[in-house]
Amino acid sequence: MAKMYLMCGCSGSGKTTFAKKFAEENGLKYLGVDEFYAKVNGDERLHVNSFDVWIEYFKAIHEAEINNIDCIVDTNAITRTHRQQFIDWFPTFEHHMIYIDADPSLRKRNNMSRRRQVPDSAMDRMTEQLEIPCATYESKEWKSIMFVKNNNNNFAEPYMMKGN
């Protein structure tokens, strides 16, 4: 059974940096939604045609699932509902979650240094909507839930909340 690691957290928290390194160190296929904005729109900074982007993104995840390829899926997934959708839509994976946390001021600073900046209003909305993973409330189908703290762009060693 292939493994899917869902990388979640607010924009600017360091998800992509951590996910790419984690993918390389663990032999995983990296699937980041920004790459699909670039594929569909010709530039990752253009956040248009979202429906088409997400269709292509989900096709790539499904392709990894049916070809039994371990992958890391890099997207915000800031609510339990969003995270549960990945279990529901891709049921044959062994599901793992990595939540990355960073102080809001660090997230905003990181956002300002990116090619594609998320508007401040969207960053604030994410902070308000964020549901930090909790083993009590997350689906029992998560094989593991790992937490990573980004301390000023230095990643603390992941620690397990649930799983092996």
Side-chain angles (χ1 to χ4, degrees):
M1 173 183 299
K3 296 176 184 175
M4 177 186 72
Y5 292 84
L6 178 65
M7 190 79 217
C8 56
C10 291
S11 290
S13 62
K15 290 184 310 296
T16 299
T17 302
F18 184 88
K20 287 181 176 179
K21 182 179 178 194
F22 188 84
E24 183 178 318
E25 290 174 353
N26 293 283
L28 306 173
K29 180 177 179 106
Y30 172 81
L31 296 169
V33 72
D34 284 343
E35 293 177 352
F36 289 85
Y37 274 101
K39 180 181 176 182
V40 170
N41 297 317
D43 188 333
E44 70 188 35
R45 294 173 294 181
L46 298 176
H47 270 238
V48 294
N49 304 311
S50 292
F51 183 80
D52 295 332
V53 168
W54 285 92
I55 291 294
E56 292 299 315
Y57 189 45
F58 290 146
K59 280 183 189 175
I61 298 168
H62 181 65
E63 184 177 308
E65 182 182 34
I66 62 174
N67 290 312
N68 208 32
I69 298 170
D70 294 339
C71 63
I72 188 161
V73 175
D74 180 10
T75 186
N76 291 334
I78 59 172
T79 68
R80 281 188 299 277
T81 300
H82 292 142
R83 295 186 289 266
Q84 182 63 41
Q85 288 172 335
F86 283 89
I87 289 174
D88 295 342
W89 294 338
F90 306 105
T92 64
F93 275 119
E94 178 181 288
H95 299 95
H96 300 267
M97 182 193 318
I98 303 172
Y99 170 73
I100 191 160
D101 183 35
D103 183 82
S105 62
L106 176 60
R107 293 193 319 251
K108 286 189 178 190
R109 193 168 62 245
N110 286 345
N111 184 49
M112 294 303 293
S113 68
R114 295 175 1 174
R115 279 182 44 132
R116 180 191 58 82
Q117 293 181 3
V118 176
D120 284 344
S121 59
M123 295 285 286
D124 292 341
R125 192 170 43 257
M126 274 185 246
T127 300
E128 291 169 13
Q129 294 174 350
L130 174 65
E131 295 173 348
I132 296 171
C134 173
T136 305
Y137 301 111
E138 296 292 341
S139 169
K140 303 300 180 220
E141 296 171 62
W142 291 107
K143 177 85 171 160
S144 69
I145 301 174
M146 293 180 276
F147 282 77
V148 177
K149 178 70 176 171
N150 184 351
N151 293 313
N152 206 19
N153 294 322
N154 293 310
F155 299 103
E157 192 67 26
Y159 66 91
M160 300 298 286
M161 184 174 99
K162 167 187 170 182
N164 312 353

